[in-house]
Structures are given as structure tokens and as C-alpha cells.
Amino acid sequence: MTDTQTTLATSSAVAPGTYGELAQGMLDGVTFLLTCPIDLYATATVEWREGDGKISAPSASSKAALALQYTLEFLGIGDRLDAKLYLKSPLPRGKGMASSTADVAATVVATAIAAGRPVSDDVIAEIALRIEPSDGLMYSGITRFDHRLGSYAQKLGDPPPMRVVILDFGGTVDTLQFNNVDVSASLISSEEVLREAVELISQGIQESDVEKIGRGSTMSARANQAILYKPQLENAIALASEIGAAGVNVAHSGTVIGMLVEDDDMQVRRAASLAWERLAGLKSVRCQRVIGGGVTAIAKREGLRI
């Protein structure tokens, strides 16, 4: 692709990251997670020019580049145009905050919108899962999603007003390597706990009850210790209880821990302040709102005639 080529269309889309998951595990032999989208967004911009199928993307964005390729194939125009991908994201890598899924989902939608061929949430998920196990952030609200095979996506509803105080103790996890480890024995052993956790969280969403969501999420966080141990989890749970937070959630395949609180500035500030005082090894604290998922097209210039 050269700068002398005429730009045919440009389109951008945003996808939310997540703060880990509200729950994750396996029930009745099927893997699942309950999404926890937050108000931090990855932005993908796709610029299309005449060409023969060349794709240009940032060197560190191989997964999003694959998403662009797969979307072009899905649309049936992969050999007729050149595409250049630009990405911008505040989401940290390797923490379990769905940075790759957000890049991928935003890329799929930006590509499809530029072509004038919007795609469904199911198609976004299908493309994402061709690349790696993925979060269900492409679905609206909070969703129970099979993050490995995409066999189902059950929308549970919108979250009540709540925030998460994000605690980062350092370190990263390679998602692909993590998901190649067989943890089925641990998943099976925690099945009944996770069933109760999912029920609590589902009820909490239906009833706008942050406390029930926090209780269920804490149960899942503790169950996940057998799979990916977090040394400061129990200290974070104790601190959450002290400040009156609803509970904690974790990145089940990442490093971060969160305290789930009401949408209350005073409680958020107190949680952040006490976290710095009480939790050894803490590297950073940030606060985000828990939101519903979904990918949104934000800009389009011209359109492709295909």
C-alpha cells in the first residue's frame, strides 16, 4: 500500500475492555464466563484503498490484523482492496482486561461498517474465537458466554450503577499459553460453587442488587485460586468487607483484582486510599465504571461500492 493510492473509505469503531470477569469456569462440561465490561475503550480505524488484498497493521497487533483478514474473507472482498489498520487503546496488555478481544472486536466492526455490511454480535464472536479464546464483550449488557467455543451467549441484562477499583500487583499472563493448560480437574471440582455464584450474579443483575453480584463474584474469585493463584486476594476481600464494598472480582486468566463498589465517589476514594495503605506490593490503582458491552461504530467517511 502506498500513500499515492486513493482512499475509498475510512471507518472507526470502539469496543470496551473488561475488568476480568464476574465469574468464570465450567458448568455441565461447558466453559463459560460472565462479562464485566468497563468504560475503557479500544479504537480501531480501517482505511481502505484500491489494491489486491494487502493488509497493513501495527507490528504489535497481529491478532487484530488477523481479525481484519478474517472479516475481509467473511465479506468476500479480501482480494479486491488494500486495508490499513490503526489501533489506539488505554487497556494494559497481559492483565486480563480483554485488550486483545477489544482490539479484535473493534477491528471487525470498523471493517464491516466501512464496507456498508454491518455484522452481528455472533459474527464478531465467531471471528474473535478463530484467533483465541475471547471475552464476550461484543454482546450488550452482561453476558454469559462460552469463551472457548462460542457455543452460547446468554444476555443477563444491564449492570446496576457500580464501579470497580482496579488493583494491579504487577506481572502479566500470556492468554494463549494459559488457555493451553489443562485445568479441567480444578474446574470440575469447583462446579457447585460456580453454579451458586452464577445464580447470585444473575439475580443481582435482574434485581439491580450490587451486593448479590459482589457475593457471587467473590465466590468465583476464590474458586479460581486453584487455577491461577493471587497472593493478595484474601487481603483484598478483607479490605472490601471493611469498606462496605459488595465484594471482589478477578481476571481469571490475568493478574488484576478488583473491589466492586456502589457508584459512590466517597466509597471509591476510600477504597483506593486504603488499598495503597494496606495491600503490599500494589503497583497501581484505578477506578472504572462497570457498563454493558457492545461494539459501536463512531465514524465513517465515504463508503465502498461492493
Side-chain angles (χ1 to χ4, degrees), residues 97-241:
M97 297 178 66
S99 57
S100 294
T101 303
D103 286 348
V104 164
T107 297
V108 173
V109 171
T111 304
I113 292 298
R117 300 264 296 277
V119 293
S120 68
D121 297 343
D122 289 338
V123 168
I124 302 170
E126 179 182 341
I127 291 172
L129 288 169
R130 287 185 64 184
I131 300 167
E132 65 176 353
S134 297
D135 195 273
L137 58 82
M138 64 286 298
Y139 294 98
S140 60
I142 303 296
T143 300
R144 179 177 169 181
F145 178 63
D146 176 0
H147 57 290
R148 289 181 177 269
L149 299 177
S151 62
Y152 65 87
Q154 176 190 6
K155 296 181 181 180
L156 303 179
D158 292 321
M162 58 190 294
R163 299 192 212 179
V164 59
V165 180
I166 299 171
L167 310 173
D168 184 1
F169 295 91
T172 59
V173 173
D174 184 296
T175 305
L176 283 173
Q177 289 184 4
F178 177 84
N179 282 289
N180 282 331
V181 177
D182 184 4
V183 295
S184 55
S186 294
L187 292 173
I188 291 170
S189 68
S190 62
E191 185 165 352
E192 291 311 308
V193 172
L194 289 172
R195 195 179 303 278
E196 184 180 352
V198 170
E199 182 63 24
L200 275 170
I201 295 167
S202 300
Q203 289 177 3
I205 293 168
Q206 293 162 12
E207 300 167 8
S208 295
D209 188 330
V210 177
E211 189 271 337
K212 283 187 177 179
I213 295 171
R215 280 169 52 203
S217 185
T218 302
M219 293 170 66
S220 183
R222 279 182 162 141
N224 197 64
Q225 289 288 73
I227 298 171
L228 184 59
Y229 184 74
K230 294 177 173 59
Q232 284 285 19
L233 178 63
E234 288 302 325
N235 290 333
I237 291 172
L239 180 58
S241 177

Side-chain angles (χ1 to χ4, degrees), residues 62-123:
S62 58
K63 294 174 185 177
L66 272 177
L68 175 52
Q69 175 188 330
Y70 293 157
T71 308
L72 293 175
E73 292 172 2
F74 177 82
L75 297 172
I77 52 176
D79 59 348
R80 293 165 47 191
L81 298 162
D82 289 350
K84 187 168 185 178
L85 173 65
Y86 303 88
L87 291 170
K88 182 171 66 174
S89 177
L91 294 161
R93 306 287 166 175
K95 299 292 185 180
M97 297 178 66
S99 57
S100 294
T101 303
D103 286 348
V104 164
T107 297
V108 173
V109 171
T111 304
I113 292 298
R117 300 264 296 277
V119 293
S120 68
D121 297 343
D122 289 338
V123 168

